[in-house]
Amino acid sequence: MLNGVEHKFVETADAVVVGGGVVGLAIARALARAHFGRIVLIERGQLGAEASHAAGGMLAAQAECDGADAFLELACASRDLYTGFAEALLDETGINIELERTGTLYLAFTERDELEIAHRYSWQSSAGLSVQRLTVDEARELEPCVSPEALSALRFPLDWQVENRRLVAALATAAENMGVQLLTCTNVESLLMERGHIKGVETAQGRIYSAVVVVASGAWASSLLTAEMSEPVIRIEPVRGQMLCFDARSAFARHVIYSPRGYLVPRMDGRLLAGSTTEHAGFDKRVTATGASTILTHAMEIAPALGELTLVDAWSGLRPRAVDDLPVLGESAQTRGLFYAVGHYRNGILLAPITGELIAAEITSGIASPLMTAFTPERFHQVGVG
């Protein structure tokens, strides 16, 4: 259901996407753009209401990567798609996802922080990435709210941000406009398999038969994946992240501002987000006093003037984490037609465009991109972890 419109339950499809966050929606839209046929997306709750709704919307390919590896390549490739992605969604839906291009500052406050950003600057500049080393005075000239206690900074001019809730709305509208069937408040109870091929899904409302099923159900993916003994045991755990939201209509900042302990995200509508926590609390999404206090402490280290702002909201979300912190992408080697798009952890918003393109391309062509090699589900068979 989208915008209160109820759709008739269908029994067959050319592709079923399980999960209605930004990753699942991006895949469904990409398949529809490829004219793949009848596509059904199934979401256990409301579209984009979990991690996609709770996210900060940062496209922090460089700020959050620790080395020049396959994940950095994937992250930068997805970040670099965002300009065209935002323009296409605007054309398709009229929804502006508020891609903000000012960039990201990364601050050092301790000797250890300075060592970290010196290392980050060294390997990123050697890799040919766009990064600038700043003095604290230069950082404060860009953002006067930055604490005078900062020692130095990096600037990542290409690490942008997007309004993630508008992104959800745009992807859902685009997918539906292209004919994708969106089933909400519908639980997928199991995958239907036979002789090494996917046959569809079993839902609480009945079966949907399909030769292609994409599991993109975020923190809830393991309820499906661990039940299939022929598959690699891919455990996706929920990791709670709490967020605070302040009223900062006096243009508090323009850049996303990081430290090794927290971050601030200024929104175009005058909100200022502060995050986040990393908590192994199961599926508990409560906002806690301890979590809020931790976020506030780290936020005020970055910008002490934040203490004068009005706190207007707080929430939490469950990031979907695989055991090695990396996404799981691509077709199963054991079950033909079963595709994985899970484990995006802290980077679901960032990786949504590339995930949609890569999964749709593999489904339609049968060929997996080299960008996916490091993220294959078979890595869990190869090393015996799960």
Side-chain angles (χ1 to χ4, degrees):
M1 179 185 297
L2 182 64
N3 298 327
V5 179
E6 187 171 354
H7 294 285
K8 183 178 182 294
F9 188 79
V10 297
E11 296 181 351
T12 62
D14 294 293
V16 171
V17 179
V18 183
V22 290
V23 169
L25 287 166
I27 294 167
R29 170 183 173 270
L31 285 171
R33 282 167 62 92
H35 307 290
F36 190 68
R38 172 178 272 184
I39 301 153
V40 177
L41 181 144
I42 309 173
E43 165 55 39
R44 59 184 292 277
Q46 297 299 322
L47 297 174
E50 297 294 346
S52 300
H53 184 82
M58 297 165 295
L59 309 180
Q62 292 175 236
E64 293 208 351
C65 282
D66 296 321
D69 56 15
F71 182 77
L72 177 71
E73 184 180 7
L74 183 74
C76 287
S78 194
R79 180 192 65 186
D80 295 346
L81 290 175
Y82 252 99
T83 297
F85 191 57
E87 291 172 353
L89 286 171
L90 182 62
D91 288 343
E92 293 163 12
T93 69
I95 297 173
N96 179 3
I97 65 171
E98 296 183 1
L99 180 63
E100 212 291 325
R101 298 176 172 88
T102 301
T104 295
L105 294 181
Y106 195 109
L107 306 177
F109 288 93
T110 68
E111 183 177 340
R112 182 175 179 178
D113 293 351
E114 288 213 282
L115 290 173
E116 178 183 331
I117 69 169
H119 173 67
R120 195 172 292 263
Y121 177 77
S122 176
W123 72 257
Q124 292 200 13
S125 56
S126 296
L129 298 171
S130 183
V131 57
Q132 302 163 357
R133 190 80 183 263
L134 304 179
T135 66
V136 64
D137 288 339
E138 290 169 331
R140 283 173 54 79
E141 185 174 349
L142 290 173
E143 294 291 1
C145 69
V146 165
S147 170
E149 300 300 315
L151 301 176
S152 60
L154 298 180
R155 181 173 181 265
F156 304 108
L158 300 181
D159 273 12
W160 301 340
Q161 62 149 309
V162 66
E163 216 303 327
N164 46 290
R165 297 176 185 179
R166 295 181 69 87
L167 175 62
V168 167
L171 285 169
T173 301
E176 186 168 58
N177 287 348
M178 294 176 190
V180 175
Q181 185 101 27
L182 302 173
L183 300 179
T184 59
C185 301
T186 302
N187 190 48
V188 174
E189 298 177 342
S190 63
L191 306 176
L192 304 176
M193 299 181 181
E194 182 180 311
R195 298 179 182 177
H197 289 76
I198 197 74
K199 294 298 182 181
V201 297
E202 183 82 53
T203 80
Q205 282 72 43
R207 290 186 171 187
I208 302 178
Y209 293 98
S210 178
V212 172
V213 173
V214 184
V215 177
S217 46
W220 287 265
S222 287
S223 63
L224 290 176
L225 302 182
T226 57
E228 313 304 331
M229 299 310 294
S230 64
E231 293 297 303
V233 179
I234 300 171
R235 295 195 179 97
I236 305 297
E237 67 165 331
V239 179
R240 183 170 70 192
Q242 300 184 45
M243 297 280 283
L244 302 180
C245 178
F246 298 87
D247 184 346
R249 298 190 184 279
S250 58
F252 192 85
R254 293 182 62 244
H255 290 76
V256 174
I257 310 177
Y258 268 85
S259 80
R261 290 161 290 281
Y263 55 79
L264 301 177
V265 184
R267 289 291 199 228
M268 290 184 181
D269 63 2
R271 291 176 299 144
L272 180 72
L273 310 187
S276 178
T277 60
T278 301
E279 304 169 88
H280 299 273
F283 289 91
D284 181 354
K285 292 199 300 178
R286 290 179 298 166
V287 175
T288 66
T290 299
S293 176
T294 299
I295 294 169
L296 186 59
T297 297
H298 296 159
M300 290 186 64
E301 177 186 44
I302 293 170
L306 180 138
E308 301 301 315
L309 301 182
T310 301
L311 179 66
V312 294
D313 201 359
W315 60 81
S316 73
L318 302 176
R319 309 180 187 99
R321 175 187 175 271
V323 67
D324 57 4
D325 292 346
L326 297 175
V328 185
L329 304 174
E331 188 175 15
S332 166
Q334 286 71 40
T335 305
R336 305 310 296 175
L338 174 62
F339 292 81
Y340 296 87
V342 296
H344 289 72
Y345 195 25
R346 298 172 60 92
N347 296 286
I349 305 298
L350 169 63
L351 295 178
I354 198 76
T355 301
E357 288 201 0
L358 293 178
I359 297 296
E362 186 177 11
I363 290 170
T364 56
S365 72
I367 300 171
S369 166
L371 279 174
M372 300 167 71
T373 302
F375 311 108
T376 171
E378 298 315 301
R379 73 185 188 265
F380 297 102
H381 262 335
Q382 293 164 6
V383 301
V385 298

